[in-house]
Amino acid sequence: MNRLRRARPWLGTLVEISVASDLDTPRLLAAVEAAYAAIAAVHGTMSVHEPASELSRLNRSAHLAAVPVSPGLLTVLRAALAFAEDSDGAFDPVVGGRLTALGLLPASEVMAAPQATWRDLRIDGDQVRFRQPLRLDFGGIAKGYAVDLAVEQLRAAGIAEAQVNAGGDLRVFGLAPQRIALRDPRAPSQWSQIVELHDQALATSAPYYAAGSSPSALIDPRSGSPYAGADSLSAIASSCLVADALTKVALFATPSRLEALLEQHDAQLLIQRCAD
Amino acid sequence: MSVSSRIVLLPLVALVASAPARATVYLSIEDAQQAMFGAAAMTAQPLTLDAIQMKAIEKASGVPVRGSLVRVWRAADGGWFLVDAVIGKSELITYAIGLDADGRVKQVEVLEYRESHGGEIRYPGWRKQFVNKKAGDELRVGDDIQGISGATLSCEHVTDGIRRLLATWALVLKPLA
């Protein structure tokens, strides 16, 4: 088996790709490049930090007129809206206005209404329209989507075994299960548990890196209140997009909504509870 | 411990000592050079910044310049290769950046990632804590952990570092070429 491991900065974090395969090194490298290209494309399309991204352009203009969006953005938007509806707004991609008001996102030209929600958004075909100025932020879901696309590229290239890890949100595939450590929420440079994954994705939300300009600010979209708990919440699902979104849902959703969503997505939630 | 079939509460055992520090070497400097510039010959051109240059780079990039030494190579095709290290909250990241002759970023590769708090596995009963393990899977102490999941760690130090290196190129290296 030929093995390769790379890490590059994308999506506001380090994205690590590890592969093992019988393919020769040039083909292995080409597969890893294709996977990074897919991640770079998601960054270029869906970063709220890049003023030139498609998402930023949408945020600047969709309250004025309907805007056609690319298939990738539409996929993520539809998935995000479904999670918003099913979680009763505990997850909401329209949280960008709140994050901006709280200084957790850089200011933009258009003043987004902090109280805007997913209900202020209309999709008609590939056209997206806002009912009032709002700011979509895919921070809770785009990393997972990018990981899924990278995994697709690696599979299509014939890679036998791989892991794509976007700063803690990850997905694995291969014959053998892979052992993934969960960071200890009390001391995040250490790990406390090991999870075995087999063709699955795992994402984690926890407050220990949430301060400052971290990409993972944990804010209740409905109230703007920060997550008050100390627990670390990890979700295991078949796709990283779903795992990523579920960890955000789990922060603020009612238990019954959360249970229903876990059931719907055949997912599992792991809670590391800090006693104090 | 299960709250329901879908929600599992994981016990946090007493924090006795550090779990292993994470240290991953991805690429050597030579391998990164080859990945970015192929077979082109690379010539080391280490650079020592003077105080005026350091101030100018800080001003242009908005990023503090903490050291005067810059590790620079020139590629035979006119490109540049720089190696830098940044320190985050608890991690040290060494990375390389390749620029074409016009200073455009070709590629960024992390060479080495290291989390600082080292130590041994000292969790009592840690082997019982495997989650989502299929029946019949054997696990041995010392088996490698193949990844870490946790809240997303920002890589703003790396992006700041890249901004600082691009300013270094524009202000100091470009005029040398």
Side-chain angles (χ1 to χ4, degrees):
Chain A
M1 287 283 253
N2 218 341
R3 286 178 189 277
L4 205 69
R5 200 170 191 191
R6 294 284 185 270
R8 295 183 189 170
W10 284 115
L11 307 163
T13 189
L14 284 188
V15 181
E16 182 184 79
I17 298 182
S18 314
V19 292
S21 167
D22 291 329
L23 296 178
D24 58 29
T25 304
R27 288 169 71 191
L28 211 55
L29 281 168
V32 170
E33 284 304 326
Y36 273 118
I39 289 163
V42 172
H43 181 104
T45 308
M46 302 187 206
S47 171
V48 76
H49 295 275
E50 304 279 351
S53 74
E54 186 184 0
L55 186 66
S56 293
R57 281 186 280 122
L58 185 70
N59 281 335
R60 281 195 296 269
S61 53
H63 63 290
L64 302 171
V67 176
V69 299
S70 67
L73 197 149
L74 198 59
T75 300
V76 174
L77 182 57
R78 284 190 187 283
L81 293 180
F83 276 107
E85 181 167 8
D86 295 341
S87 70
D88 194 25
F91 173 93
D92 191 339
V94 180
V95 70
R98 290 229 183 261
L99 296 177
T100 311
L102 292 164
L104 295 167
L105 279 180
S108 65
E109 295 163 36
V110 177
M111 271 288 271
Q115 75 283 4
T117 73
W118 60 279
R119 294 176 203 276
D120 294 311
L121 204 141
R122 291 283 173 273
I123 301 178
D124 182 12
D126 68 343
Q127 309 270 317
V128 175
R129 173 100 211 236
F130 301 163
R131 288 167 58 188
Q132 60 176 321
L134 57 81
R135 197 172 194 189
L136 283 166
D137 172 23
F138 289 161
I141 199 166
K143 268 195 292 292
Y145 177 67
V147 167
D148 289 335
L149 290 189
V151 162
E152 262 176 44
Q153 290 291 333
L154 297 173
R155 276 189 189 279
I159 301 289
E161 185 185 308
Q163 181 186 132
V164 179
N165 188 341
D169 295 348
L170 59 94
R171 184 166 162 186
V172 308
F173 70 86
L175 273 179
Q178 293 190 29
R179 284 172 291 279
I180 309 298
L182 297 184
R183 290 187 186 278
D184 190 319
R186 300 164 300 180
S189 66
Q190 304 176 30
W191 57 263
S192 50
Q193 314 275 348
I194 292 179
V195 178
E196 279 219 329
L197 296 183
H198 198 182
D199 292 335
Q200 286 167 308
L202 170 71
T204 299
S205 282
Y208 43 80
Y209 292 140
S213 57
S214 156
S216 51
L218 308 177
I219 298 295
D220 188 334
R222 296 165 299 193
S223 63
S225 310
Y227 175 59
D231 296 352
S232 165
L233 305 172
S234 300
I236 300 173
S238 57
S239 87
C240 199
L241 179 149
V242 168
D244 199 0
L246 284 174
T247 65
K248 311 301 188 302
V249 168
L251 293 168
F252 303 112
T254 61
S256 61
R257 292 270 184 177
L258 175 59
E259 282 275 356
L261 268 164
L262 292 169
E263 197 67 41
Q264 182 191 330
H265 293 282
D266 192 19
Q268 199 176 30
L269 185 76
L270 311 175
I271 304 173
Q272 294 192 86
R273 178 142 297 164
C274 292
D276 33 317
Chain B
M1 199 189 326
S2 288
V3 177
S4 75
S5 62
R6 301 229 167 249
I7 301 179
V8 180
L9 202 56
L10 301 174
L12 281 168
V13 297
L15 211 51
V16 178
S18 297
R22 199 178 156 221
T24 307
V25 177
Y26 294 96
L27 283 168
S28 66
I29 286 175
E30 294 71 25
D31 287 345
Q33 288 173 339
Q34 215 205 332
M36 295 185 199
F37 294 97
M42 305 295 294
T43 313
Q45 290 189 8
L47 174 71
T48 306
L49 301 168
D50 62 34
I52 295 164
Q53 289 169 327
M54 287 169 75
K55 267 236 148 50
I57 293 164
E58 280 188 4
K59 199 172 166 217
S61 64
V63 181
V65 178
R66 298 220 162 80
S68 59
L69 194 69
V70 190
R71 302 169 77 188
V72 184
W73 284 257
R74 190 82 200 266
D77 68 2
W80 303 85
F81 179 88
L82 292 88
V83 171
D84 187 39
V86 289
I87 297 168
K89 286 192 181 88
S90 68
E91 73 283 4
L92 173 72
I93 301 170
T94 308
Y95 66 100
I97 177 172
L99 306 176
D100 67 16
D102 298 321
R104 278 186 297 260
V105 178
K106 284 164 68 90
Q107 204 167 320
V108 179
E109 292 280 3
V110 174
L111 304 181
E112 196 174 338
Y113 178 99
R114 186 176 291 279
E115 286 195 30
S116 53
H117 308 288
E120 264 182 278
I121 305 170
R122 298 274 293 169
Y123 285 93
W126 70 277
R127 292 177 65 188
K128 291 186 196 131
Q129 295 173 31
F130 290 85
V131 179
N132 201 34
K133 177 175 169 298
K134 302 279 183 300
D137 286 345
E138 279 297 319
L139 277 169
R140 299 175 304 276
V141 176
D143 272 1
D144 282 345
I145 293 164
Q146 286 146 300
I148 295 190
S149 180
T152 304
L153 192 59
S154 160
C155 73
E156 64 180 313
H157 292 97
V158 177
T159 38
D160 283 352
I162 293 169
R163 230 179 20 251
R164 170 167 46 74
L165 292 182
L166 289 175
T168 305
W169 178 84
L171 295 169
V172 185
L173 293 174
K174 190 184 172 194
L176 290 179

